[in-house]
Amino acid sequence: MSTNNGKRPGRPPGPSDTRDRILGNAREMFARSGIGKTSIRSIAAASGVDSALVHHYFGTKEQLFAAAVHIPIDPLLVLGPMREVPVDQLGLVLPSLLLPLWDSEMGPAFLATLRSTLSGDGVGLFRSFLQDVIAVEVGKRVDDPPGSGRIRVQFVASQLVGVVMARYILELEPFASLPVDQIAETIAPNLQRYLTGELPGLN
């Protein structure tokens, strides 16, 4: 005699359903309002759970964001060390940190996420990552003249997105096979000028 009382076999609703619900709400709210204007408390409320449970599953807000967009690493583990880098070395250190990450075993997951995001409705998530994480961590250090930090970071982002497209998506040779340090050293002067040099209309 059956003992499942007519219910379909399989895992009953539980933590995984709650976790998925939190992720879904986080993804929607981050895309709509950005990281800075979205709180753990608001995500918890939308998910019908306590804030402590969100922290239990995901840790910090940045770690929740990483999970929401399937980034395989906490972004602050990469960007956090940038706080200790002298401003005049940021142009070299940024690509020196990011390129090995993209070339690592985590790279395919990142690129798969990027492709699906750019072809879907997740563009707002990456815009939020750029403006609310990178701009906050780096932009505030290069905000000279005042108010220029955000556009400086966006110029840097445009260069790095170009590297991603040419090296990993279009796979242009020989660029796609160049050593990481060669690319980093080649683009570093441009990145540094975007960050700290004179830019038309800003000085």
Side-chain angles (χ1 to χ4, degrees), residues 49-187:
V49 300
D50 187 84
S51 298
L53 187 61
V54 180
H55 286 295
H56 170 73
Y57 281 136
F58 300 102
T60 67
K61 183 166 65 170
E62 288 76 16
Q63 289 170 325
L64 173 56
F65 177 84
V69 296
H70 310 293
I71 298 174
I73 189 172
D74 179 351
L76 290 187
L77 290 179
V78 177
L79 294 170
M82 299 299 294
R83 299 169 183 165
E84 308 301 323
V85 175
V87 171
D88 63 358
Q89 296 177 25
L90 287 173
L92 176 61
V93 174
L94 262 174
S96 297
L97 279 175
L98 293 175
L99 280 163
L101 179 64
W102 295 334
D103 272 5
S104 73
E105 66 273 9
M106 290 181 283
F110 165 76
L111 294 172
T113 299
L114 181 62
R115 288 190 183 98
S116 64
T117 295
L118 295 180
S119 63
D121 58 359
V123 173
L125 289 169
F126 274 90
R127 183 185 301 118
S128 177
F129 175 63
L130 171 64
Q131 296 181 166
D132 296 338
V133 177
I134 296 181
V136 168
E137 290 297 318
V138 179
K140 64 186 178 184
R141 301 187 61 199
V142 295
D143 195 34
D144 183 22
S148 67
R150 183 166 178 163
I151 189 63
R152 287 181 181 279
V153 169
Q154 290 177 355
F155 272 114
V156 169
S158 72
Q159 179 92 62
L160 294 175
V161 168
V163 170
V164 170
M165 288 293 296
R167 183 172 174 86
Y168 303 105
I169 295 179
L170 299 178
E171 298 182 348
L172 299 178
E173 292 291 356
F175 185 77
S177 298
L178 290 178
V180 164
D181 57 352
Q182 183 178 349
I183 296 177
E185 291 171 8
T186 301
I187 68 175

